Each structure stands twice: as C-alpha cells, then as structure tokens.
C-alpha cells in the first residue's frame, strides 16, 4: 500500500507541474494545429491611431482689421485640414509686447514651426533667437521680419507690383501722358516699421515720380518722402486726421483748390482719407482718384458707391494655401516651393520667398473677383 500511495503522489505531482508550465511548450512539443480562429493566448498588435502632423504656431498682428481676421482663419482652416494642430494668436490691437509674449509661449509650448505676420518687422529679433536655438523653422507671413537669422522663408504677394498697380491706375485715370495738367496729388502710405511700405510706396513712386519731376503732377503739401507720408499702424483714424490737416492747410474743397488724386497704399488709410473728404463736402461725383489695397468690405462698398476708385485684391486664400504647402514641405523634411531668391533681404541675408500675384479690383470687375470666386457674398457688400 505504501508503494502504491507513493506512486499515486508522484504521478499527481508530475501532472500538476505540467499544468503550471503548459503556457510555455518545450522545444520538443509538437506545434499546435493551425486554426482560422484567433488565439486568445497571443495578443495582436493594436492598430496605430492617426497622429497629428505637428503643432504649428500662427501669429497675426491684430483683429481690428478685416484682412488679418481672414488671413488667420484661412490659415487655421487650411493647416487643420492638412492634419496639423494650430495655435492661432492675435496680438491685441497691434500690441508688440503681446505678440512677443505669445511667440515665447509658442516656442516653449511645443510648436514645431511658426508662421508670423509681424507688427513691427524689427521687434522680434530677440524672441526668435529661442526659435532658432530649438531648431523651429520660421515663415515670415506677408510682412518681412527684419534683422533675424531665424527666418527660414518669406511668403507674401508681389508688393512692388501692388505699388506699381496703384501708380499706373492714377497715371491712366488722369491720362498723364496726354493731358496738359498740372494735376494735384497727395500721398498716403502705411506704417513706417512695415518693410512692405518700401515696396508699396516705392513701386507707386517709380511710376509717379517722373510726372512729379516734370511738373505734370504737383504735391501742394510738399510731402513726398516716405516718412512724411507714413501712417502709424496703418490707422484709419491717423490717415483721416492727416487728410483733414491737408484739406485745411491747402484749401482743398469741391469749390476750392482742386485735388485730383490721392495715392493710398491700403484700404484702411484710404478709408480715412475718404471720410475726411466726404466731411469736406466731396461726393462720388467730384471725388479725386483714390487708390487702396486689400478689398476690405467697407472699401468695396465705397468702390461700388463711387468714392474709391480701386483696390488691389490679394486673395488671402491663395496666400494661406501656399503657406500651408510650405509648412507641409518643411515638416516632411523637403524644400518648399519658392519663386524669388533675390528681392527680400532682411538684414541678415536674402530670404527665400514665394510671391503670389495681386489683381486690380474696380467697379467693373469686383463681382467676378470677389463674389463669383466665393470670397464675399452679395449680402456682404449690400
């Protein structure tokens, strides 16, 4: 009996040990038969979850101007559609310290690329050192960031062409090559710290200066230098005040000194000029030729009403789409498309650039450019 009991205990112990180690078959064990059913003892790898393309910081200067709201919203939508997380910030009402602080947060907050429309093109040198130290590429958007070697690329419209369009429009409207003249003109440009002013104002003056030098065009105020014609922050209020002073000091009025044209570099300054002239008694019938840029809604309404002659249309959807392509190329380790390698020197060297084409908008083509393209609706301009 003792022998039989010992044999039973030995057999039981052997079976118990085999059961405990059954999940690890020995090398001599026969392979398990194949089965189409999933094996619960083997964990299948989980499918990879979709990942973001990365976090992109977008810094816009202000929400007080329509065009920057559109630029920001277009950029955000395009980038998100391409799979990126977007940190979009507006710097108050053109507040430089706010923009610097926001950029610091973007740099420290995990943004892998920055798209920046600078308030002051020369005020970001220090903050962008942090971006360069972290290897974060920077695309300067529409306004060139100056004196910073952190800037990788520049995307904008052909801003010299914008100015030449405005100058050529005045030249044609007054028929300067054939009419006797002289014609009176005043000059209004934008923020002195915006590098684009050099191209807007420079392009226009390259067209108009020969007629000023010949006496065909006269600037009664004598204010022909960029610094004299500048408007801080592109402010409508500031341009209106300056135009009011010009009206008073030069006697401009429908029945006084004739004013034939006002070169305005953009729509916000143009709107201020028109406000001053309307208050002085001008109407659509006797308003001077007035230029603009951006096709802001109030200005397009004035083009339709006859108090503004033209605006240069820069379709921000086009620019946003191009910048998204540039960001996408950078994030994927390839070179973005550029079409200008000679024009834009920010003080540290030429910045590779992509220039989109602007278009002249007048009462004759605004429907095709702005409504048929879906940029605005009829109701927007009613």
């Amino acid at each position: 009996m003792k022998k039989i009991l010992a044999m039973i205990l030995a057999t039981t112990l052997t079976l118990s040990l085999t059961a405990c180690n059954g999940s690890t078959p020995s090398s001599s064990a026969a392979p398990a038969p194949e089965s189409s059913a999933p094996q619960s003892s083997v964990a299948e790898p989980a499918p990879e979850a979709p990942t973001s393309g990365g976090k992109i910081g977008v810094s816009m200067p202000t929400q007080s101007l329509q065009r920057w709201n559109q630029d920001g919203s277009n950029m955000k939508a395009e980038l998100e559609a391409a799979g990126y997380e977007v940190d979009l910030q507006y710097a108050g009402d053109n507040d430089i310290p706010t923009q610097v602080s926001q950029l610091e947060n973007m740099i420290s907050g995990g943004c892998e690329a920055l798209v920046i429309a600078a308030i002051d093109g020369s005020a970001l040198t220090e903050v962008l050192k942090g971006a360069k130290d972290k290897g974060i590429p920077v695309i300067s958007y529409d306004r060139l960031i100056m004196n910073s070697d952190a800037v990788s690329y520049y995307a904008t419209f052909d801003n010299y062409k914008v100015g030449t369009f405005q100058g050529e429009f005045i030249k044609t409207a007054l028929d300067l090559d054939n009419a006797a003249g002289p014609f009176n003109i005043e000059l209004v440009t934008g923020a002195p710290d915006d590098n684009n002013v050099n191209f807007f104002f420079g392009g226009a003056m390259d067209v108009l200066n020969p007629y000023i030098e010949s006496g065909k065009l006269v600037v009664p105020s004598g204010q022909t230098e960029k610094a004299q014609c500048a408007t801080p922050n592109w402010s409508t209020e500031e341009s209106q005040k300056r135009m009011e002073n010009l009206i008073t000091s030069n006697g401009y009025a429908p029945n006084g000194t004739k004013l034939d044209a006002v070169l305005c570099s953009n729509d916000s300054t143009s709107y201020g000029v028109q406000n001053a002239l309307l208050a002085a008694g001008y109407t659509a019938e006797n308003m001077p030729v007035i230029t603009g840029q951006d096709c802001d809604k109030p200005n397009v309404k004035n083009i339709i009403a006859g108090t503004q002659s033209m605006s240069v249309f820069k379709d921000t959807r086009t620019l946003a789409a191009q910048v998204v392509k540039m960001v996408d190329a950078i994030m994927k380790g390839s070179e973005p498309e550029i079409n200008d390698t000679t024009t834009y020197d920010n003080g540290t060297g030429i910045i590779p650039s992509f220039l989109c084409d602007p278009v002249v908008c007048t009462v004759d083509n605004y429907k095709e450019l702005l409504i048929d393209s879906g940029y605005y609706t009829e109701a927007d301009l009613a």
Side-chain angles (χ1 to χ4, degrees), residues 250-306:
N250 294 283
Y252 295 129
N255 298 316
T257 302
K258 188 177 183 184
L259 180 60
D260 297 288
V262 184
L263 169 71
C264 295
S265 288
N266 86 327
D267 279 352
S268 57
T269 57
S270 181
Y271 202 74
V273 166
Q274 292 169 71
N275 287 344
L277 291 171
L278 289 167
Y282 285 86
T283 66
E285 284 68 38
N286 54 27
M287 189 71 75
V289 177
I290 300 178
T291 64
Q293 173 190 179
D294 293 332
C295 286
D296 288 344
K297 290 177 188 176
N299 296 77
V300 178
K301 290 178 182 180
N302 283 358
I303 289 174
I304 297 169

Side-chain angles (χ1 to χ4, degrees), residues 67-204:
R67 73 144 298 181
W68 296 116
N69 286 315
Q70 288 179 300
D71 282 67
S73 60
N74 286 339
M75 182 78 57
K76 188 173 188 291
E78 290 271 359
L79 285 168
E80 288 178 341
Y84 295 97
E85 178 186 351
V86 181
D87 181 6
L88 169 63
Q89 300 288 336
Y90 292 89
D93 188 7
N94 288 300
D95 186 68
I96 295 171
T98 297
Q99 186 166 50
V100 170
S101 176
Q102 289 171 343
L103 288 170
E104 287 174 342
N105 291 335
M106 289 177 183
I107 292 167
S108 63
C111 287
E112 299 175 50
L114 299 176
V115 179
I116 305 171
I119 298 168
D120 180 344
S122 60
L124 302 180
T125 304
E126 287 302 315
V127 68
L128 291 184
K129 288 180 180 178
K132 183 167 185 182
D133 289 344
K134 287 194 170 187
I136 301 172
V138 174
I139 297 177
S140 188
Y141 183 88
D142 198 49
R143 295 174 173 177
L144 183 60
I145 297 170
M146 305 299 292
N147 305 314
S148 173
D149 60 1
V151 179
S152 309
Y153 298 96
Y154 180 37
T156 187
F157 286 86
D158 189 331
N159 294 318
Y160 182 79
K161 187 179 288 187
V162 169
T164 60
F165 280 170
Q166 293 168 339
E168 290 287 348
F169 189 92
I170 291 172
K171 171 184 169 181
T172 300
L174 298 181
D175 195 17
L176 294 180
D177 285 336
N178 300 301
F183 299 98
N184 290 332
I185 187 172
E186 293 292 347
L187 312 170
V188 181
T189 192
D193 50 16
D194 184 346
N195 185 64
N196 284 348
V197 167
N198 297 318
F199 296 92
F200 299 148
F201 192 68

